[in-house]
Amino acid sequence: MTTHTLSVSTGEVLRSTVAAASVFAQRSFGLGGRSISEPAALRRHPHIVRFAEVEADLDLLIDRAIAAIADGEPIEDEILGHYVHIASLVRAVSFREGKLLEQAVERLAKANPHITVLTQSLKLPLVKAALEAVSGNDWQSLDGVKLDCEAPAKGSYTPDLIVVNRARYAAYILDLKRSLASYGDTSRLEELKLKMMASAMVLPDWLYKHHKRTMVDTVEVAIVDGASRPSDHATGIWALSEIDDLLEIDGVAACMSELRLRFGSRVQQLLEAEARKALGVLETVVSDAARSSTMPGKPLIALNGPARSYEEELKVLLQHADEGGYHLDGSDEDQDDEPEPVRIRVGFARRLCRH
């Protein structure tokens, strides 16, 4: 068994987007139906998908995602106030975009008859031996190591997708992120890679036992960045624009790009509508407050408390000092005495009992 992160050969040029964009100008129709004539240099894989062929399905996925975002009921927030609906939408977008990417990849993968995409019940055990192996060894040195998925484990990891290529007896553990920008320089990304690699060591046994005796001899892991920032295949980071090579289907990246454009347009329409509502409410409140402040008989509110002169404030301070309320000189007669031992109580906070 081979377990490693995905990579492509050095110097290889990814031109899937160009290929998908050019196919519309290269169609020809024969007596036996439609045939496709594309330049051989632009074709990288034997299978191809065009957005026009999956447009209805992908638009339906977008509609469902937008409906789920709009249906959310935000909880009142004193800080966000009238803008709580906008914040709720933004949080929902972050979650729904990731799900949308997963569903779209599953749909587009059908263009390759050798590909099976697993999306349900993907709870992979984090076997202790696997975690120790990937923590204490170079990933490349673990090539060929396969572990029992029923061995003692420390938790589990659920990938977004598991892609099985039956023709090559290969499996891919994919984690799709809408953007890796939020990970920054934190250790979260390294922790994710650790879980993915540990899961890869038990995946062949897990597939055989839990998915109809599916057999693979190669397992590869990849974190796919939906924002398509620069990838690093040596560390398992792939841009969404390179996903053609993962599924071995030309045109997938172009379809995903169009999907994100359409989804982004719909999301921005939602946010703009909600922002207009929030600003409309705010303008009403401000105008009401302005009118009430100019009404006769109502004094203006002193935002900084009672207005006192410097002399008045000093008089109040001196009065408290005479009464023992303040120690202006900072002295303490008992500060040289040894503190008496006290019993310290620890525990959860409790409400004080009032008598």
PDB file of all heavy atoms in Angstrom, residues 169-192:
ATOM      1  N   TYR A 169      -7.228   1.484  -8.196  1.00  0.00           N
ATOM      2  CA  TYR A 169      -7.173   0.988  -6.818  1.00  0.00           C
ATOM      3  C   TYR A 169      -6.558   2.040  -5.895  1.00  0.00           C
ATOM      4  O   TYR A 169      -5.702   1.744  -5.057  1.00  0.00           O
ATOM      5  CB  TYR A 169      -6.375  -0.314  -6.740  1.00  0.00           C
ATOM      6  CG  TYR A 169      -7.007  -1.445  -7.493  1.00  0.00           C
ATOM      7  CD1 TYR A 169      -6.624  -1.728  -8.800  1.00  0.00           C
ATOM      8  CD2 TYR A 169      -8.017  -2.222  -6.917  1.00  0.00           C
ATOM      9  CE1 TYR A 169      -7.223  -2.757  -9.508  1.00  0.00           C
ATOM     10  CE2 TYR A 169      -8.620  -3.246  -7.628  1.00  0.00           C
ATOM     11  CZ  TYR A 169      -8.221  -3.516  -8.919  1.00  0.00           C
ATOM     12  OH  TYR A 169      -8.823  -4.530  -9.622  1.00  0.00           O
ATOM     13  N   ALA A 170      -7.023   3.277  -6.087  1.00  0.00           N
ATOM     14  CA  ALA A 170      -6.501   4.406  -5.306  1.00  0.00           C
ATOM     15  C   ALA A 170      -7.650   5.108  -4.586  1.00  0.00           C
ATOM     16  O   ALA A 170      -8.783   5.131  -5.075  1.00  0.00           O
ATOM     17  CB  ALA A 170      -5.772   5.402  -6.204  1.00  0.00           C
ATOM     18  N   ALA A 171      -7.351   5.659  -3.415  1.00  0.00           N
ATOM     19  CA  ALA A 171      -8.339   6.416  -2.651  1.00  0.00           C
ATOM     20  C   ALA A 171      -7.735   7.746  -2.251  1.00  0.00           C
ATOM     21  O   ALA A 171      -6.527   7.855  -1.991  1.00  0.00           O
ATOM     22  CB  ALA A 171      -8.778   5.636  -1.410  1.00  0.00           C
ATOM     23  N   TYR A 172      -8.577   8.763  -2.207  1.00  0.00           N
ATOM     24  CA  TYR A 172      -8.150  10.107  -1.847  1.00  0.00           C
ATOM     25  C   TYR A 172      -8.993  10.595  -0.669  1.00  0.00           C
ATOM     26  O   TYR A 172     -10.222  10.556  -0.726  1.00  0.00           O
ATOM     27  CB  TYR A 172      -8.307  11.077  -3.016  1.00  0.00           C
ATOM     28  CG  TYR A 172      -7.703  10.594  -4.311  1.00  0.00           C
ATOM     29  CD1 TYR A 172      -8.487   9.946  -5.262  1.00  0.00           C
ATOM     30  CD2 TYR A 172      -6.349  10.771  -4.574  1.00  0.00           C
ATOM     31  CE1 TYR A 172      -7.943   9.485  -6.445  1.00  0.00           C
ATOM     32  CE2 TYR A 172      -5.790  10.321  -5.759  1.00  0.00           C
ATOM     33  CZ  TYR A 172      -6.591   9.675  -6.692  1.00  0.00           C
ATOM     34  OH  TYR A 172      -6.051   9.219  -7.860  1.00  0.00           O
ATOM     35  N   ILE A 173      -8.328  11.047   0.368  1.00  0.00           N
ATOM     36  CA  ILE A 173      -9.008  11.691   1.494  1.00  0.00           C
ATOM     37  C   ILE A 173      -8.931  13.193   1.241  1.00  0.00           C
ATOM     38  O   ILE A 173      -7.847  13.780   1.234  1.00  0.00           O
ATOM     39  CB  ILE A 173      -8.345  11.335   2.833  1.00  0.00           C
ATOM     40  CG1 ILE A 173      -8.429   9.829   3.093  1.00  0.00           C
ATOM     41  CG2 ILE A 173      -8.999  12.107   3.970  1.00  0.00           C
ATOM     42  CD1 ILE A 173      -7.753   9.398   4.377  1.00  0.00           C
ATOM     43  N   LEU A 174     -10.101  13.811   1.022  1.00  0.00           N
ATOM     44  CA  LEU A 174     -10.139  15.229   0.674  1.00  0.00           C
ATOM     45  C   LEU A 174     -10.811  16.031   1.783  1.00  0.00           C
ATOM     46  O   LEU A 174     -11.852  15.635   2.313  1.00  0.00           O
ATOM     47  CB  LEU A 174     -10.907  15.445  -0.633  1.00  0.00           C
ATOM     48  CG  LEU A 174     -10.393  14.729  -1.885  1.00  0.00           C
ATOM     49  CD1 LEU A 174     -11.202  15.155  -3.100  1.00  0.00           C
ATOM     50  CD2 LEU A 174      -8.911  14.996  -2.104  1.00  0.00           C
ATOM     51  N   ASP A 175     -10.211  17.150   2.100  1.00  0.00           N
ATOM     52  CA  ASP A 175     -10.804  18.113   3.024  1.00  0.00           C
ATOM     53  C   ASP A 175     -10.919  19.428   2.269  1.00  0.00           C
ATOM     54  O   ASP A 175      -9.912  20.051   1.933  1.00  0.00           O
ATOM     55  CB  ASP A 175      -9.946  18.275   4.277  1.00  0.00           C
ATOM     56  CG  ASP A 175     -10.754  18.747   5.466  1.00  0.00           C
ATOM     57  OD1 ASP A 175     -11.348  19.836   5.364  1.00  0.00           O
ATOM     58  OD2 ASP A 175     -10.825  18.022   6.480  1.00  0.00           O
ATOM     59  N   LEU A 176     -12.157  19.830   1.940  1.00  0.00           N
ATOM     60  CA  LEU A 176     -12.387  21.035   1.157  1.00  0.00           C
ATOM     61  C   LEU A 176     -12.607  22.226   2.075  1.00  0.00           C
ATOM     62  O   LEU A 176     -13.493  22.199   2.933  1.00  0.00           O
ATOM     63  CB  LEU A 176     -13.600  20.873   0.235  1.00  0.00           C
ATOM     64  CG  LEU A 176     -13.375  20.136  -1.090  1.00  0.00           C
ATOM     65  CD1 LEU A 176     -13.104  18.660  -0.857  1.00  0.00           C
ATOM     66  CD2 LEU A 176     -14.570  20.310  -2.019  1.00  0.00           C
ATOM     67  N   LYS A 177     -11.817  23.274   1.886  1.00  0.00           N
ATOM     68  CA  LYS A 177     -11.942  24.496   2.669  1.00  0.00           C
ATOM     69  C   LYS A 177     -12.343  25.635   1.743  1.00  0.00           C
ATOM     70  O   LYS A 177     -11.793  25.772   0.648  1.00  0.00           O
ATOM     71  CB  LYS A 177     -10.622  24.845   3.360  1.00  0.00           C
ATOM     72  CG  LYS A 177     -10.115  23.764   4.300  1.00  0.00           C
ATOM     73  CD  LYS A 177     -11.061  23.544   5.456  1.00  0.00           C
ATOM     74  CE  LYS A 177     -10.543  22.509   6.424  1.00  0.00           C
ATOM     75  NZ  LYS A 177     -11.528  22.190   7.487  1.00  0.00           N
ATOM     76  N   ARG A 178     -13.298  26.446   2.196  1.00  0.00           N
ATOM     77  CA  ARG A 178     -13.688  27.592   1.371  1.00  0.00           C
ATOM     78  C   ARG A 178     -12.515  28.551   1.204  1.00  0.00           C
ATOM     79  O   ARG A 178     -12.388  29.227   0.190  1.00  0.00           O
ATOM     80  CB  ARG A 178     -14.888  28.320   1.970  1.00  0.00           C
ATOM     81  CG  ARG A 178     -14.647  28.929   3.335  1.00  0.00           C
ATOM     82  CD  ARG A 178     -15.886  29.638   3.861  1.00  0.00           C
ATOM     83  NE  ARG A 178     -16.317  30.675   2.961  1.00  0.00           N
ATOM     84  CZ  ARG A 178     -15.866  31.935   3.034  1.00  0.00           C
ATOM     85  NH1 ARG A 178     -14.988  32.273   3.962  1.00  0.00           N
ATOM     86  NH2 ARG A 178     -16.310  32.824   2.186  1.00  0.00           N
ATOM     87  N   SER A 179     -11.642  28.597   2.206  1.00  0.00           N
ATOM     88  CA  SER A 179     -10.433  29.400   2.139  1.00  0.00           C
ATOM     89  C   SER A 179      -9.505  28.988   3.271  1.00  0.00           C
ATOM     90  O   SER A 179      -9.956  28.754   4.389  1.00  0.00           O
ATOM     91  CB  SER A 179     -10.757  30.893   2.249  1.00  0.00           C
ATOM     92  OG  SER A 179      -9.568  31.658   2.309  1.00  0.00           O
ATOM     93  N   LEU A 180      -8.224  28.913   2.970  1.00  0.00           N
ATOM     94  CA  LEU A 180      -7.233  28.596   3.999  1.00  0.00           C
ATOM     95  C   LEU A 180      -6.682  29.852   4.659  1.00  0.00           C
ATOM     96  O   LEU A 180      -5.814  29.765   5.530  1.00  0.00           O
ATOM     97  CB  LEU A 180      -6.080  27.791   3.397  1.00  0.00           C
ATOM     98  CG  LEU A 180      -6.385  26.337   3.029  1.00  0.00           C
ATOM     99  CD1 LEU A 180      -5.159  25.673   2.421  1.00  0.00           C
ATOM    100  CD2 LEU A 180      -6.849  25.558   4.248  1.00  0.00           C
ATOM    101  N   ALA A 181      -7.202  31.022   4.255  1.00  0.00           N
ATOM    102  CA  ALA A 181      -6.682  32.275   4.815  1.00  0.00           C
ATOM    103  C   ALA A 181      -6.899  32.343   6.310  1.00  0.00           C
ATOM    104  O   ALA A 181      -6.085  32.898   7.049  1.00  0.00           O
ATOM    105  CB  ALA A 181      -7.346  33.459   4.123  1.00  0.00           C
ATOM    106  N   SER A 182      -8.001  31.777   6.800  1.00  0.00           N
ATOM    107  CA  SER A 182      -8.296  31.851   8.228  1.00  0.00           C
ATOM    108  C   SER A 182      -7.350  31.003   9.071  1.00  0.00           C
ATOM    109  O   SER A 182      -7.274  31.180  10.287  1.00  0.00           O
ATOM    110  CB  SER A 182      -9.744  31.400   8.483  1.00  0.00           C
ATOM    111  OG  SER A 182      -9.929  30.062   8.071  1.00  0.00           O
ATOM    112  N   TYR A 183      -6.635  30.075   8.443  1.00  0.00           N
ATOM    113  CA  TYR A 183      -5.725  29.226   9.206  1.00  0.00           C
ATOM    114  C   TYR A 183      -4.434  29.963   9.541  1.00  0.00           C
ATOM    115  O   TYR A 183      -3.822  29.718  10.569  1.00  0.00           O
ATOM    116  CB  TYR A 183      -5.423  27.942   8.431  1.00  0.00           C
ATOM    117  CG  TYR A 183      -6.534  26.933   8.523  1.00  0.00           C
ATOM    118  CD1 TYR A 183      -7.692  27.065   7.771  1.00  0.00           C
ATOM    119  CD2 TYR A 183      -6.453  25.842   9.375  1.00  0.00           C
ATOM    120  CE1 TYR A 183      -8.733  26.145   7.863  1.00  0.00           C
ATOM    121  CE2 TYR A 183      -7.479  24.916   9.476  1.00  0.00           C
ATOM    122  CZ  TYR A 183      -8.614  25.082   8.715  1.00  0.00           C
ATOM    123  OH  TYR A 183      -9.636  24.178   8.817  1.00  0.00           O
ATOM    124  N   GLY A 184      -4.007  30.846   8.658  1.00  0.00           N
ATOM    125  CA  GLY A 184      -2.837  31.666   8.930  1.00  0.00           C
ATOM    126  C   GLY A 184      -1.629  30.859   9.363  1.00  0.00           C
ATOM    127  O   GLY A 184      -1.293  29.825   8.797  1.00  0.00           O
ATOM    128  N   ASP A 185      -0.979  31.339  10.419  1.00  0.00           N
ATOM    129  CA  ASP A 185       0.219  30.669  10.938  1.00  0.00           C
ATOM    130  C   ASP A 185      -0.099  29.817  12.165  1.00  0.00           C
ATOM    131  O   ASP A 185       0.804  29.451  12.922  1.00  0.00           O
ATOM    132  CB  ASP A 185       1.280  31.721  11.321  1.00  0.00           C
ATOM    133  CG  ASP A 185       1.753  32.507  10.104  1.00  0.00           C
ATOM    134  OD1 ASP A 185       1.773  31.912   9.012  1.00  0.00           O
ATOM    135  OD2 ASP A 185       2.082  33.695  10.262  1.00  0.00           O
ATOM    136  N   THR A 186      -1.355  29.509  12.373  1.00  0.00           N
ATOM    137  CA  THR A 186      -1.714  28.718  13.540  1.00  0.00           C
ATOM    138  C   THR A 186      -1.357  27.260  13.334  1.00  0.00           C
ATOM    139  O   THR A 186      -1.007  26.822  12.232  1.00  0.00           O
ATOM    140  CB  THR A 186      -3.224  28.839  13.824  1.00  0.00           C
ATOM    141  OG1 THR A 186      -3.953  28.241  12.740  1.00  0.00           O
ATOM    142  CG2 THR A 186      -3.644  30.299  13.935  1.00  0.00           C
ATOM    143  N   SER A 187      -1.484  26.490  14.402  1.00  0.00           N
ATOM    144  CA  SER A 187      -1.160  25.066  14.339  1.00  0.00           C
ATOM    145  C   SER A 187      -2.345  24.231  13.872  1.00  0.00           C
ATOM    146  O   SER A 187      -2.219  23.014  13.736  1.00  0.00           O
ATOM    147  CB  SER A 187      -0.707  24.581  15.721  1.00  0.00           C
ATOM    148  OG  SER A 187      -1.751  24.765  16.669  1.00  0.00           O
ATOM    149  N   ARG A 188      -3.485  24.868  13.616  1.00  0.00           N
ATOM    150  CA  ARG A 188      -4.679  24.119  13.230  1.00  0.00           C
ATOM    151  C   ARG A 188      -4.468  23.334  11.948  1.00  0.00           C
ATOM    152  O   ARG A 188      -4.943  22.212  11.803  1.00  0.00           O
ATOM    153  CB  ARG A 188      -5.865  25.073  13.066  1.00  0.00           C
ATOM    154  CG  ARG A 188      -6.342  25.707  14.367  1.00  0.00           C
ATOM    155  CD  ARG A 188      -7.297  26.848  14.091  1.00  0.00           C
ATOM    156  NE  ARG A 188      -8.406  26.418  13.250  1.00  0.00           N
ATOM    157  CZ  ARG A 188      -9.042  27.218  12.395  1.00  0.00           C
ATOM    158  NH1 ARG A 188      -8.656  28.473  12.269  1.00  0.00           N
ATOM    159  NH2 ARG A 188     -10.051  26.776  11.699  1.00  0.00           N
ATOM    160  N   LEU A 189      -3.767  23.937  10.996  1.00  0.00           N
ATOM    161  CA  LEU A 189      -3.547  23.259   9.716  1.00  0.00           C
ATOM    162  C   LEU A 189      -2.675  22.024   9.899  1.00  0.00           C
ATOM    163  O   LEU A 189      -2.932  20.967   9.304  1.00  0.00           O
ATOM    164  CB  LEU A 189      -2.905  24.229   8.722  1.00  0.00           C
ATOM    165  CG  LEU A 189      -2.848  23.753   7.264  1.00  0.00           C
ATOM    166  CD1 LEU A 189      -4.238  23.462   6.731  1.00  0.00           C
ATOM    167  CD2 LEU A 189      -2.153  24.798   6.401  1.00  0.00           C
ATOM    168  N   GLU A 190      -1.649  22.127  10.735  1.00  0.00           N
ATOM    169  CA  GLU A 190      -0.787  20.980  10.987  1.00  0.00           C
ATOM    170  C   GLU A 190      -1.543  19.878  11.714  1.00  0.00           C
ATOM    171  O   GLU A 190      -1.335  18.687  11.453  1.00  0.00           O
ATOM    172  CB  GLU A 190       0.444  21.413  11.794  1.00  0.00           C
ATOM    173  CG  GLU A 190       1.378  22.341  11.033  1.00  0.00           C
ATOM    174  CD  GLU A 190       1.838  21.755   9.702  1.00  0.00           C
ATOM    175  OE1 GLU A 190       2.153  20.537   9.678  1.00  0.00           O
ATOM    176  OE2 GLU A 190       1.849  22.482   8.711  1.00  0.00           O
ATOM    177  N   GLU A 191      -2.422  20.256  12.625  1.00  0.00           N
ATOM    178  CA  GLU A 191      -3.236  19.258  13.329  1.00  0.00           C
ATOM    179  C   GLU A 191      -4.166  18.543  12.363  1.00  0.00           C
ATOM    180  O   GLU A 191      -4.377  17.327  12.469  1.00  0.00           O
ATOM    181  CB  GLU A 191      -4.041  19.942  14.429  1.00  0.00           C
ATOM    182  CG  GLU A 191      -3.190  20.489  15.569  1.00  0.00           C
ATOM    183  CD  GLU A 191      -4.007  21.284  16.567  1.00  0.00           C
ATOM    184  OE1 GLU A 191      -5.227  21.429  16.334  1.00  0.00           O
ATOM    185  OE2 GLU A 191      -3.439  21.762  17.564  1.00  0.00           O
ATOM    186  N   LEU A 192      -4.709  19.287  11.401  1.00  0.00           N
ATOM    187  CA  LEU A 192      -5.580  18.678  10.394  1.00  0.00           C
ATOM    188  C   LEU A 192      -4.797  17.684   9.540  1.00  0.00           C
ATOM    189  O   LEU A 192      -5.272  16.565   9.278  1.00  0.00           O
ATOM    190  CB  LEU A 192      -6.196  19.776   9.517  1.00  0.00           C
ATOM    191  CG  LEU A 192      -7.029  19.288   8.320  1.00  0.00           C
ATOM    192  CD1 LEU A 192      -8.205  18.444   8.783  1.00  0.00           C
ATOM    193  CD2 LEU A 192      -7.518  20.486   7.502  1.00  0.00           C
TER     194      LEU A 192
END
